[in-house]
Amino acid sequence: MSRTMQFPVRQIALASFILTFAALLAGCNTVDGAGQDLKAGGRAVERAVE
């Protein structure tokens, strides 16, 4: 007799969705921080030119 292991598809799909959503949120925070750094760099260049 062969035993087949049943995979909990619903739980795997839910876990994948949650991990993807968490990664996207973390990425947004990173991009926002990078945008602020670029703005600060631009302001520094403007002040140096004046």
Side-chain angles (χ1 to χ4, degrees), residues 19-33:
L19 289 173
T20 302
F21 188 69
L24 287 172
L25 285 177
C28 289
N29 289 336
T30 303
V31 171
D32 186 40

Side-chain angles (χ1 to χ4, degrees), residues 42-50:
R43 284 189 218 116
V45 169
E46 285 179 354
R47 279 186 246 131
V49 170
E50 293 174 351

Side-chain angles (χ1 to χ4, degrees), residues 5-45:
M5 184 181 289
Q6 294 181 358
F7 292 106
V9 176
R10 186 175 282 178
Q11 286 85 358
I12 292 172
L14 181 62
S16 297
F17 175 76
I18 291 172
L19 289 173
T20 302
F21 188 69
L24 287 172
L25 285 177
C28 289
N29 289 336
T30 303
V31 171
D32 186 40
Q36 291 175 358
D37 291 342
L38 287 173
K39 282 183 184 178
R43 284 189 218 116
V45 169

